[in-house]
Amino acid sequence: MKAVNIIFVLVLLVALSACSKDEPTRLTNVKGLIPDLSFELTDEDNKTVTAEDYLGYTVAIFFGFTSCPDICPTTMHQLSGIMKEIDSAGSKIRVLFISVDPDRDSAEKLKKYTDVFGSAFIGLRGEDRIIKEMTKRYRVTFGYGESDAEGNYEVSHSGAVFIFDNEGKARLLATQSSRTEDLTYDLKNLLNHKIKVIT
Amino acid sequence: MTLFEYFQPWEFSPVFVVVWLCVFVFYTCAIINTQAVDKIAKFYWQAISFYLGLISIYVVSHTYVDYLSQYMFWVHRLQHLILHHLGPLLMVLGGMEMMRRGLPRWWPRWSKLPIFIKWPFESLYKFLQHPVIAPVLFVGLIYLWLIPSIHFAAMLSKQLYYLMNWSMLLDGLLFWWLVLGPDWKGEGKGFKTRLLMMLVVVIPQQLLGAYLTLSSTAIYDVYDVCGRAWPISPMSDQIYGGIITWIPASMMSVLGLVLVLRRRLNFQKREANESS
């Protein structure tokens, strides 16, 4: 009886310890937790692009929409500031802003929006179905509120930034509560291959 | 969205479908078999209760509701209310033990299995169904999966999400089986233990529900990280979720208490009739 209790407790502990592994990163290390980068979407110049086109770059993806009043601009400004510090030439990092509101976000609108933050920011869009599939892969979602008289509506969406290494492998997850210095620290380490790969 | 789309699973789970189909088939066979032997046997309400439990658990685990549960805190609380409280209680009240009579002939009988297979399961069962362990586990699991860091991981990782829901369902079945299963007919022995078990699980659930409802900050940021199913403020989402954890969950215990009392009274009545 006692042996059974001990085994039971051990199994529980092992199951639980899987959730709280200590990683040498300040942000959440999602290596192996989240699928690698893969998509086929249209960019802001109306060209079809796939994940392979961004191999060689450290890629940050964000699911947002251009009429977003708070979360999207804040996050984009935060990233823009960090990039000025660690990749001022804009040759190593790409930020892909994937629209979850393709009805309102035309390619031109996306281009105008991302240009504000810098040339490394690229707006991507696709059919509603394709975006839904892509968000499902990363276990995030989005939804629309009721439209008002002028046809405006609220959009609920993920506030996460998923960061992939230059081979397209998922590495880090930044959230709204992540501090800018932590993001800078981890991104810098990722660029210099200093983050340990834990498989 | 069409009605068909609402019933489509968000993530198709073959294990769940197979288990649920087996339970459905065995129980239905059991009813047919019993009816064939004993024509006057009546168990309409039992069958209704069982199928209602079975269907409600299916709906919250394998339809659009499952999608909503992953992206809305209050729907997640509702899902667990059904997985852990209502669904299992309905199934146990519906005479889950009848399923035995629906098993095919070739199905190995438990009593005939060799001791080395039986022993580990039986000791684990005895441990889990200990009158002190079972309520601790019942409330403990609710708390465990609501610890913010664990909740975060469970919502982000598919495997952990399944582990969470399966553990809630199995624990719900075990707990209600212990309290209102067929092993206790209403005898004096075990009556007080059952009353106590029902009472001790109420308070921690109410405390947790009140904490979630009255908390002035958003506790679970995973829903901001992953996005919500539709636009709703994080605080309202948390308040609705807290109320679901607080009120209906503790009302289930009151219902359990009434059912325990009823069974005891019916037993005493039968005893009095027999002796007179």
Side-chain angles (χ1 to χ4, degrees):
Chain A
M1 189 69 195
K2 260 206 177 133
V4 175
N5 298 0
I6 292 169
I7 291 168
F8 177 67
V9 169
L10 280 179
V11 168
L12 252 185
L13 280 179
V14 170
L16 289 181
S17 67
C19 336
S20 59
K21 249 189 237 157
D22 279 324
E23 308 287 27
T25 55
R26 293 189 186 173
L27 304 173
T28 316
N29 190 330
V30 290
K31 173 95 187 142
L33 254 182
I34 282 172
D36 299 338
L37 193 61
S38 151
F39 61 82
E40 191 182 322
L41 296 165
T42 314
D43 74 1
E44 52 193 26
D45 297 319
N46 274 319
K47 269 196 314 203
T48 305
V49 286
T50 64
E52 282 79 44
D53 295 328
Y54 299 99
L55 286 179
Y57 291 108
T58 296
V59 175
I61 65 168
F62 183 81
F63 296 97
F65 64 115
T66 60
S67 356
C68 175
D70 39 30
I71 298 172
C72 308
T74 321
T75 314
M76 290 301 111
H77 273 298
Q78 188 187 24
L79 285 173
S80 168
I82 295 170
M83 305 233 324
K84 271 183 199 131
E85 193 179 320
I86 61 173
D87 182 28
S88 50
S91 57
K92 296 179 202 149
I93 303 176
R94 286 291 173 268
V95 178
L96 306 181
F97 182 89
I98 300 168
S99 171
V100 292
D101 187 17
D103 279 354
R104 284 189 293 186
D105 290 346
S106 61
E108 300 76 56
K109 213 170 164 191
L110 272 171
K111 192 171 173 64
K112 227 169 146 186
Y113 182 78
T114 55
D115 280 352
V116 174
F117 305 105
S119 57
F121 288 72
I122 299 159
L124 299 179
R125 59 194 298 281
E127 269 175 54
D128 196 61
R129 185 181 51 84
I130 293 176
I131 304 288
K132 199 94 217 180
E133 263 168 40
M134 187 170 177
T135 48
K136 189 177 176 180
R137 256 170 75 78
Y138 296 102
R139 294 191 68 79
V140 298
T141 199
F142 58 94
Y144 306 119
E146 300 282 327
S147 339
D148 65 11
E150 283 119 45
N152 295 321
Y153 48 87
E154 273 186 84
V155 180
S156 61
H157 65 106
S158 156
V161 180
F162 294 97
I163 298 166
F164 300 81
D165 63 17
N166 55 10
E167 290 167 18
K169 302 256 180 275
R171 298 299 290 273
L172 300 163
L173 171 71
T175 66
Q176 290 305 301
S177 49
S178 301
R179 295 186 316 169
T180 306
E181 53 263 44
D182 293 345
L183 238 160
T184 314
Y185 177 86
D186 275 356
L187 261 177
K188 214 190 264 174
N189 281 347
L190 190 61
L191 284 179
N192 301 329
H193 305 285
K194 271 193 193 151
I195 292 181
K196 244 195 268 166
V197 177
I198 291 159
T199 43
Chain B
M1 258 178 96
T2 60
L3 192 66
F4 176 70
E5 281 173 314
Y6 278 111
F7 278 95
Q8 256 184 343
W10 174 245
E11 315 253 18
F12 178 72
S13 160
V15 181
F16 180 75
V17 172
V18 169
V19 171
W20 240 225
L21 262 180
C22 284
V23 171
F24 175 80
V25 169
F26 292 156
Y27 184 82
T28 310
C29 285
I31 290 190
I32 295 169
N33 291 349
T34 315
Q35 205 91 68
V37 181
D38 180 4
K39 288 227 159 30
I40 51 162
K42 280 204 181 78
F43 30 69
Y44 300 122
W45 71 265
Q46 273 190 320
I48 290 170
S49 163
F50 187 85
Y51 288 125
L52 213 60
L54 200 70
I55 293 168
S56 64
I57 292 173
Y58 182 87
V59 168
V60 297
S61 323
H62 216 243
T63 66
Y64 191 66
V65 182
D66 183 40
Y67 160 73
L68 296 178
S69 316
Q70 295 182 35
Y71 298 106
M72 206 61 115
F73 180 67
W74 72 265
V75 186
H76 152 79
R77 291 318 302 149
L78 189 72
Q79 183 195 42
H80 274 202
L81 180 71
I82 289 173
L83 274 183
H84 195 222
H85 289 64
L86 191 63
L89 175 65
L90 284 174
M91 281 174 73
V92 167
L93 289 179
M96 230 169 66
E97 72 280 5
M98 266 205 297
M99 250 170 67
R100 189 168 38 89
R101 287 180 235 156
L103 296 177
R105 260 170 219 280
W106 48 264
W107 195 274
R109 299 291 151 182
W110 186 252
S111 54
K112 299 226 172 73
L113 286 179
I115 188 88
F116 66 88
I117 298 183
K118 278 196 316 193
W119 184 81
F121 285 101
E122 281 177 1
S123 4
L124 181 66
Y125 178 79
K126 246 190 211 158
F127 170 71
L128 295 177
Q129 297 295 70
H130 186 278
V132 175
I133 302 291
V136 171
L137 210 63
F138 185 79
V139 174
L141 270 181
I142 305 178
Y143 272 74
L144 174 79
W145 292 114
L146 283 174
I147 294 172
S149 60
I150 293 181
H151 194 75
F152 188 92
M155 284 298 169
L156 212 59
S157 139
K158 207 156 110 180
Q159 281 80 16
L160 268 180
Y161 178 76
Y162 278 126
L163 180 70
M164 169 172 78
N165 283 359
W166 275 106
S167 66
M168 290 307 264
L169 174 61
L170 291 177
D171 179 61
L173 284 169
L174 278 172
F175 183 75
W176 294 110
W177 180 263
L178 175 66
V179 178
L180 286 158
D183 294 340
W184 182 66
K185 307 261 176 322
E187 302 91 334
K189 187 173 174 274
F191 171 59
K192 277 189 200 141
T193 326
R194 281 173 173 78
L195 282 187
L196 263 177
M197 278 198 288
M198 286 283 79
L199 287 174
V200 293
V201 297
V202 177
I203 298 152
Q205 290 188 77
Q206 286 187 330
L207 285 176
L208 182 65
Y211 173 70
L212 293 175
T213 312
L214 304 174
S215 177
S216 55
T217 52
I219 303 166
Y220 301 102
D221 60 347
V222 68
Y223 301 92
D224 293 321
V225 171
C226 294
R228 285 185 168 79
W230 67 83
I232 171 176
S233 88
M235 283 318 290
S236 340
D237 190 12
Q238 186 167 298
I239 289 169
Y240 299 151
I243 291 173
I244 293 174
T245 314
W246 190 353
I247 296 163
S250 38
M251 266 162 54
M252 287 293 301
S253 288
V254 178
L255 179 67
L257 207 69
V258 171
L259 288 168
V260 168
L261 282 173
R262 205 191 102 185
R263 194 174 284 187
R264 174 80 186 131
L265 283 177
N266 282 348
F267 182 83
Q268 282 174 332
K269 251 188 236 160
R270 271 203 308 275
E271 249 183 355
N273 283 347
E274 273 162 27
S275 58
S276 64

